[in-house]
Short mmCIF file of all heavy atoms in Angstrom, two decimals:
data_model
loop_
_atom_site.label_atom_id
_atom_site.label_comp_id
_atom_site.label_asym_id
_atom_site.label_seq_id
_atom_site.Cartn_x
_atom_site.Cartn_y
_atom_site.Cartn_z
N GLY A 1 -4.30 3.56 13.52
CA GLY A 1 -3.75 4.91 13.52
C GLY A 1 -2.43 4.99 12.80
O GLY A 1 -2.18 5.91 12.01
N GLU A 2 -1.54 4.03 13.06
CA GLU A 2 -0.24 4.02 12.40
C GLU A 2 -0.39 3.82 10.90
O GLU A 2 0.27 4.48 10.09
CB GLU A 2 0.63 2.92 12.99
CG GLU A 2 1.10 3.18 14.40
CD GLU A 2 1.84 1.99 14.97
OE1 GLU A 2 1.40 0.84 14.76
OE2 GLU A 2 2.87 2.21 15.64
N ALA A 3 -1.25 2.88 10.51
CA ALA A 3 -1.44 2.60 9.08
C ALA A 3 -1.99 3.82 8.35
O ALA A 3 -1.54 4.16 7.25
CB ALA A 3 -2.37 1.40 8.90
N GLU A 4 -2.96 4.47 8.95
CA GLU A 4 -3.53 5.67 8.32
C GLU A 4 -2.49 6.78 8.21
O GLU A 4 -2.47 7.51 7.21
CB GLU A 4 -4.75 6.15 9.13
CG GLU A 4 -5.96 5.24 8.99
CD GLU A 4 -7.11 5.63 9.89
OE1 GLU A 4 -6.89 6.44 10.84
OE2 GLU A 4 -8.21 5.12 9.68
N SER A 5 -1.62 6.90 9.21
CA SER A 5 -0.59 7.94 9.14
C SER A 5 0.36 7.67 7.99
O SER A 5 0.83 8.62 7.32
CB SER A 5 0.17 8.03 10.47
OG SER A 5 1.02 6.91 10.66
N MET A 6 0.66 6.42 7.72
CA MET A 6 1.54 6.06 6.60
C MET A 6 0.90 6.42 5.26
O MET A 6 1.53 7.06 4.41
CB MET A 6 1.84 4.56 6.64
CG MET A 6 2.63 4.11 7.86
SD MET A 6 2.53 2.33 8.16
CE MET A 6 3.46 1.69 6.75
N VAL A 7 -0.34 6.01 5.08
CA VAL A 7 -1.05 6.28 3.82
C VAL A 7 -1.22 7.78 3.63
O VAL A 7 -0.97 8.32 2.54
CB VAL A 7 -2.40 5.56 3.79
CG1 VAL A 7 -3.22 5.98 2.57
CG2 VAL A 7 -2.20 4.04 3.78
N ASN A 8 -1.62 8.48 4.69
CA ASN A 8 -1.87 9.92 4.57
C ASN A 8 -0.58 10.68 4.28
O ASN A 8 -0.57 11.62 3.46
CB ASN A 8 -2.51 10.45 5.85
CG ASN A 8 -3.93 9.94 6.04
OD1 ASN A 8 -4.58 9.53 5.09
ND2 ASN A 8 -4.41 9.95 7.27
N ALA A 9 0.51 10.32 4.94
CA ALA A 9 1.78 11.01 4.71
C ALA A 9 2.25 10.83 3.28
O ALA A 9 2.72 11.79 2.64
CB ALA A 9 2.84 10.49 5.68
N CYS A 10 2.12 9.64 2.75
CA CYS A 10 2.56 9.40 1.36
C CYS A 10 1.64 10.09 0.37
O CYS A 10 2.11 10.66 -0.63
CB CYS A 10 2.64 7.89 1.09
SG CYS A 10 4.01 7.09 1.95
N ASN A 11 0.34 10.05 0.62
CA ASN A 11 -0.59 10.74 -0.28
C ASN A 11 -0.31 12.24 -0.31
O ASN A 11 -0.32 12.87 -1.39
CB ASN A 11 -2.04 10.48 0.15
CG ASN A 11 -2.51 9.07 -0.20
OD1 ASN A 11 -1.90 8.38 -1.02
ND2 ASN A 11 -3.60 8.64 0.41
N ARG A 12 -0.05 12.82 0.86
CA ARG A 12 0.24 14.27 0.91
C ARG A 12 1.52 14.60 0.17
O ARG A 12 1.62 15.66 -0.48
CB ARG A 12 0.35 14.74 2.37
CG ARG A 12 -0.96 14.88 3.09
CD ARG A 12 -0.79 15.68 4.37
NE ARG A 12 0.18 15.06 5.27
CZ ARG A 12 -0.13 14.20 6.22
NH1 ARG A 12 -1.38 13.83 6.41
NH2 ARG A 12 0.82 13.69 6.99
N ALA A 13 2.51 13.73 0.25
CA ALA A 13 3.81 14.00 -0.38
C ALA A 13 3.86 13.58 -1.84
O ALA A 13 4.88 13.79 -2.50
CB ALA A 13 4.91 13.28 0.41
N GLY A 14 2.79 12.99 -2.34
CA GLY A 14 2.78 12.52 -3.73
C GLY A 14 3.65 11.29 -3.93
O GLY A 14 4.11 11.03 -5.05
N ILE A 15 3.86 10.53 -2.86
CA ILE A 15 4.67 9.31 -2.93
C ILE A 15 3.74 8.12 -3.13
O ILE A 15 2.71 8.00 -2.46
CB ILE A 15 5.49 9.13 -1.63
CG1 ILE A 15 6.50 10.27 -1.48
CG2 ILE A 15 6.19 7.78 -1.59
CD1 ILE A 15 7.15 10.32 -0.11
N LYS A 16 4.12 7.24 -4.03
CA LYS A 16 3.33 6.04 -4.29
C LYS A 16 3.67 5.00 -3.21
O LYS A 16 4.79 4.49 -3.18
CB LYS A 16 3.62 5.51 -5.69
CG LYS A 16 3.33 6.52 -6.79
CD LYS A 16 3.68 5.97 -8.16
CE LYS A 16 3.59 7.03 -9.25
NZ LYS A 16 2.32 7.75 -9.32
N LEU A 17 2.70 4.69 -2.35
CA LEU A 17 2.92 3.71 -1.29
C LEU A 17 2.33 2.37 -1.69
O LEU A 17 1.15 2.29 -2.05
CB LEU A 17 2.27 4.19 0.01
CG LEU A 17 2.31 3.20 1.19
CD1 LEU A 17 3.75 2.95 1.64
CD2 LEU A 17 1.45 3.71 2.35
N LEU A 18 3.15 1.33 -1.64
CA LEU A 18 2.68 -0.04 -1.87
C LEU A 18 2.77 -0.81 -0.56
O LEU A 18 3.56 -0.48 0.32
CB LEU A 18 3.55 -0.77 -2.90
CG LEU A 18 3.82 -0.10 -4.26
CD1 LEU A 18 4.55 -1.09 -5.16
CD2 LEU A 18 2.53 0.36 -4.89
N CYS A 19 1.96 -1.86 -0.45
CA CYS A 19 2.08 -2.81 0.65
C CYS A 19 2.43 -4.18 0.07
O CYS A 19 2.00 -4.51 -1.05
CB CYS A 19 0.77 -2.88 1.45
SG CYS A 19 0.91 -3.89 2.95
N GLY A 20 3.17 -4.98 0.81
CA GLY A 20 3.74 -6.22 0.28
C GLY A 20 2.76 -7.36 0.12
O GLY A 20 3.05 -8.49 0.55
N TYR A 21 1.64 -7.10 -0.53
CA TYR A 21 0.67 -8.15 -0.84
C TYR A 21 0.92 -8.66 -2.25
O TYR A 21 0.13 -8.47 -3.18
CB TYR A 21 -0.75 -7.62 -0.68
CG TYR A 21 -1.11 -7.31 0.75
CD1 TYR A 21 -1.58 -6.05 1.13
CD2 TYR A 21 -0.95 -8.27 1.75
CE1 TYR A 21 -1.90 -5.77 2.45
CE2 TYR A 21 -1.27 -8.00 3.07
CZ TYR A 21 -1.74 -6.75 3.41
OH TYR A 21 -2.04 -6.48 4.72
N GLN A 22 2.07 -9.33 -2.41
CA GLN A 22 2.50 -9.77 -3.74
C GLN A 22 1.61 -10.87 -4.31
O GLN A 22 1.61 -11.13 -5.51
CB GLN A 22 3.95 -10.26 -3.69
CG GLN A 22 4.96 -9.20 -3.29
CD GLN A 22 5.20 -9.12 -1.79
OE1 GLN A 22 4.67 -9.91 -1.02
NE2 GLN A 22 5.99 -8.14 -1.37
N GLY A 23 0.81 -11.53 -3.45
CA GLY A 23 -0.09 -12.58 -3.93
C GLY A 23 -1.14 -12.08 -4.90
O GLY A 23 -1.77 -12.88 -5.60
N ARG A 24 -1.34 -10.77 -4.97
CA ARG A 24 -2.26 -10.22 -5.97
C ARG A 24 -1.78 -10.46 -7.40
O ARG A 24 -2.54 -10.28 -8.34
CB ARG A 24 -2.43 -8.72 -5.73
CG ARG A 24 -3.28 -8.38 -4.53
CD ARG A 24 -3.34 -6.88 -4.24
NE ARG A 24 -4.38 -6.59 -3.26
CZ ARG A 24 -5.44 -5.81 -3.48
NH1 ARG A 24 -5.60 -5.23 -4.66
NH2 ARG A 24 -6.33 -5.60 -2.54
N HIS A 25 -0.51 -10.84 -7.55
CA HIS A 25 0.03 -11.12 -8.89
C HIS A 25 -0.15 -12.58 -9.29
O HIS A 25 0.15 -12.92 -10.44
CB HIS A 25 1.51 -10.75 -8.94
CG HIS A 25 1.78 -9.29 -8.73
ND1 HIS A 25 1.73 -8.36 -9.75
CD2 HIS A 25 2.08 -8.60 -7.60
CE1 HIS A 25 2.00 -7.16 -9.26
NE2 HIS A 25 2.22 -7.27 -7.97
N PHE A 26 -0.59 -13.45 -8.38
CA PHE A 26 -0.78 -14.84 -8.73
C PHE A 26 -1.85 -14.94 -9.82
O PHE A 26 -2.94 -14.36 -9.69
CB PHE A 26 -1.20 -15.67 -7.52
CG PHE A 26 -0.16 -15.77 -6.44
CD1 PHE A 26 -0.49 -16.26 -5.19
CD2 PHE A 26 1.16 -15.39 -6.65
CE1 PHE A 26 0.46 -16.38 -4.18
CE2 PHE A 26 2.12 -15.50 -5.65
CZ PHE A 26 1.76 -15.99 -4.41
N GLY A 27 -1.55 -15.71 -10.87
CA GLY A 27 -2.44 -15.77 -12.02
C GLY A 27 -3.85 -16.20 -11.70
O GLY A 27 -4.82 -15.67 -12.26
N ALA A 28 -4.02 -17.17 -10.79
CA ALA A 28 -5.35 -17.68 -10.48
C ALA A 28 -6.23 -16.60 -9.84
O ALA A 28 -7.44 -16.56 -10.08
CB ALA A 28 -5.24 -18.89 -9.55
N PHE A 29 -5.63 -15.72 -9.04
CA PHE A 29 -6.41 -14.67 -8.39
C PHE A 29 -6.82 -13.59 -9.39
O PHE A 29 -7.94 -13.06 -9.32
CB PHE A 29 -5.62 -14.08 -7.22
CG PHE A 29 -5.54 -15.01 -6.06
CD1 PHE A 29 -4.53 -15.96 -5.98
CD2 PHE A 29 -6.49 -14.98 -5.06
CE1 PHE A 29 -4.46 -16.85 -4.93
CE2 PHE A 29 -6.43 -15.86 -3.98
CZ PHE A 29 -5.41 -16.80 -3.93
#
């Protein structure tokens, strides 16, 4: 519920919400 409220609030406000999954930048992945 909390996570959905965060995503929904940012989507409604036109704010770009990121989550700290920085491992998506690792070259091997």
Side-chain angles (χ1 to χ4, degrees):
E2 290 174 318
E4 289 174 346
S5 71
M6 295 162 69
V7 173
N8 291 338
C10 289
N11 285 343
R12 284 195 301 268
I15 296 169
K16 302 178 189 306
L17 175 64
L18 308 187
C19 187
Y21 292 126
Q22 297 90 4
R24 286 175 168 241
H25 297 275
F26 294 168
F29 288 87

